[in-house]
Amino acid sequence: MNEVKEPKKPIIFYYMIVMVVLLLFNALTMPWLLERKIQNVGYNTFLSMTEEKNIGYVEIDNQENTITFTDKNNEAIYKTAMVEDPDLTQRLYDAGASFAGTEMKQASPLLSIFMTWVLPLIIFIGIGQFMSKKMMERVGGKDSMMFGMGKSNAKVYVKSTKGIKFKDVAGEDEAKENLAEIVEYLHNPERYREIGASMPKGILLVGPPGTGKTMLAKAVAGEADVPFFSMSGSEFVEMFVGMGASKVRDLFKQAKDKAPCIVFIDEIDAIGKKRDGQIGGNDEREQTLNQLLTEMDGFEENNGVIILAATNRPETLDPALLRPGRFDRRVPVELPDLKGREAILKVHAKKVKIADDVDFEKVARMASGASGAELANIVNEAALRAVRDHRSFVTQVDLEESIEVVIAGYQKKNAILTDKEKRIVAYHEIGHALVAAKQTNSAPVQKITIVPRTSGALGYTMQVEEGNHYLMSKEEMENKIATYTGGRAAEEIVFGSVTTGASNDIEQATKLARAMITRYGMCKDFDMVAMEVQTNQYLGGDSSLTCSAETQKIIDEKVVELVRKQHEKAAQILLENREKLDELSLYLYQKETITGDEFMNILNV
Ligand code: ADP
């Protein structure tokens, strides 16, 4: 969209005014600027010019001991130092010059004080007044602060042919459906007014980062063909208390002038956090929030200003912000599912040259859990890779490799593993894959590699989910834990010792096991009691325990028990398939990267 800036007089304009005034001032007080050039000459020149009667006007300055004179035609001005000369007057008279002497004049002290102190002061105060008046006009409110500090700086976008439309936002069909109503309203508010229905004033878009919340807000404005004001919550918070509130006021004033329009506040949690009433709380933030609440109440229904806000921490928002009449509608913008991922990849692939035979579904399957922004990044990485390889289009391999780059970082070109390490890593990865493949409910592997990555991973097994999983059964979760432990189990069986390579697996397995017990009610002893609540659902998911210390102890024991059981199961599977484990590990060790098909072929022989 086009960003339209308010026409501003550049600051240089004001500097120019100051410069002109200073120059004028100087010119008045220092007349030499306006005078013709005076030539300094010797006394003998003066004498000879007098002799030649080539002299017009003479001024004798007794105070400075100088004689200023002109030639006969008054064309040039000369100046000379005065010499004791009693006949001077007579000679000048003879030469026919008109002459005068200046008196010993003393500038009036009052006048000089006025010129040196008062006048400049008056001029500067005048300029200051003028400039602050101009600033006030630009800010546009009587209550505005000096020098635009209370100005909202909201970017104003207006409709343009390049505007983002709903079709640019792939997937997210539910969110789009929800927002389509807003577009309809902005197109035809009369229909709603007639029947007495009122649109929600505020709509909250919630979801993990990079899922297209900003894009959706822009798309609403694009579809409805209305101006789009965008501002981030953190931009409201200024160093001085009261500035944020003033910015909110200003933003709403601008919006009301341009109605119908969309106001988008990104990261609203920066100002909309719960007011906790603690001493030393953030006054500025609270004032800003109060102002926002007031403004939202202040404008009447159906005035055409729709406020969209985005956040990935909805649980931290102040309840007052969420009550009916404010942000009462919540539109979840979740991570895309398989179809959504495929659609997003296709949208972004249109921007790059791509081979015809690219299987977007396969790429989407491999990139499970990726957000829209990550998928956009994957396509871009693939394009960069194609350029690096001097190709003119992006291939399937580029896309697959770039998924790994986005997930695990670039390949470490010169990380040299010792032979033993390489063998251990190969067994470790095959351990994961074999356990995954042998458990019927686990997804088959897509790719296994032991090429070290910049993220620190020495190798990894990429599992592929066949379809979308909205529910996971207890057995599936247990199998997943077993798969995590498979790597370590293989090391134990083959080498009889353990390495640090399993640290990430341990973390993941523990997290899953804990969640099963504390949150999903998958432990009979606790029935359906929540032992933990999850906060920050969209940002990695922290959790806090809600049980007594005794119960915590029991939970810890149960987690260990659960993981141990799965670890044993994984070891059992590997022992039963020891031959395949060796064969596959050797194959991986030699080839470094193998595909899921190669793996299954060897396994099924
Ligand atoms: P958010 O506001 O949710 O953090 P953005 O809307 O800023 O995310 O999205 C960041 C980028 O990710 C967009 O510029 C776009 O390239 C890409 N993106 C995210 N979601 C989608 C989607 N559903 N369709 C197409 N592109 C998307």
Side-chain angles (χ1 to χ4, degrees), residues 31-32 88 134 139 184 193 306 320 322 347 372 376 399 441 481 487 524 594 605:
W32 48 264
L88 179 64
K134 278 278 160 203
V139 177
E184 172 63 27
R193 248 176 248 148
I306 301 273
L322 303 176
V347 163
L399 283 164
N441 294 337
I481 297 175
K524 281 207 182 79
I594 63 172
V605 172

Side-chain angles (χ1 to χ4, degrees), residues 469-481 509-532 554-555 558-559 561-563 565-566:
H469 269 291
Y470 297 106
L471 283 178
M472 262 183 111
S473 67
K474 186 179 172 199
E475 288 69 36
E476 280 172 325
M477 293 186 92
E478 283 174 351
N479 287 348
K480 222 171 162 176
I481 297 175
T510 313
K511 217 166 150 183
L512 207 58
R514 238 193 140 72
M516 283 173 74
I517 291 163
T518 58
R519 287 196 284 126
Y520 301 133
M522 288 179 179
C523 173
K524 281 207 182 79
D525 294 354
F526 295 140
D527 203 40
M528 283 181 62
V529 178
M531 298 297 166
E532 226 177 44
I554 303 172
I555 291 173
K558 293 220 173 284
V559 170
E561 199 182 302
L562 179 58
V563 175
K565 202 167 152 214
Q566 296 313 312

Side-chain angles (χ1 to χ4, degrees), residues 309-346:
T311 179
N312 24 47
R313 303 167 67 195
E315 71 282 348
T316 62
L317 292 181
D318 196 290
L321 201 58
L322 303 176
R323 79 141 167 77
R326 289 174 185 154
F327 289 101
D328 48 2
R329 190 179 282 193
R330 186 185 280 219
V331 176
V333 187
E334 296 288 350
L335 285 175
D337 56 13
L338 180 61
K339 270 187 114 177
R341 289 199 298 274
E342 191 181 338
I344 294 173
L345 282 170
K346 282 184 179 159

Side-chain angles (χ1 to χ4, degrees), residues 164 167-172 207-216 264 266-267 310 312 333 336 340 343-345 347-348 351 371-377:
I164 296 178
K167 70 171 172 19
D168 300 311
V169 189
E172 308 300 350
T211 43
K213 298 184 289 297
T214 313
M215 266 188 112
L216 274 169
F264 177 61
D266 206 357
E267 313 288 351
N312 24 47
V333 187
I344 294 173
L345 282 170
V347 163
H348 287 280
K351 297 176 199 156
S371 68
E374 277 166 333
L375 292 167
N377 196 11

Side-chain angles (χ1 to χ4, degrees), residues 13 76 84 143 158 198 232 240 248 327 364 406 410 412 463 466 507 537 589 598 602:
F13 173 79
E84 189 64 41
D143 50 359
V158 290
S198 59
S232 167
F240 304 110
V248 172
F327 289 101
V406 173
Y410 287 94
K412 252 191 195 168
Q463 293 197 20
E466 275 302 317
E507 221 173 274
Q537 172 194 357
Y589 169 81
E598 285 174 291
I602 297 178

Side-chain angles (χ1 to χ4, degrees), residues 106 211 275 294 331 400 406 461:
Q106 200 49 244
T211 43
R275 291 163 290 183
T294 321
V331 176
E400 287 181 15
V406 173
T461 304

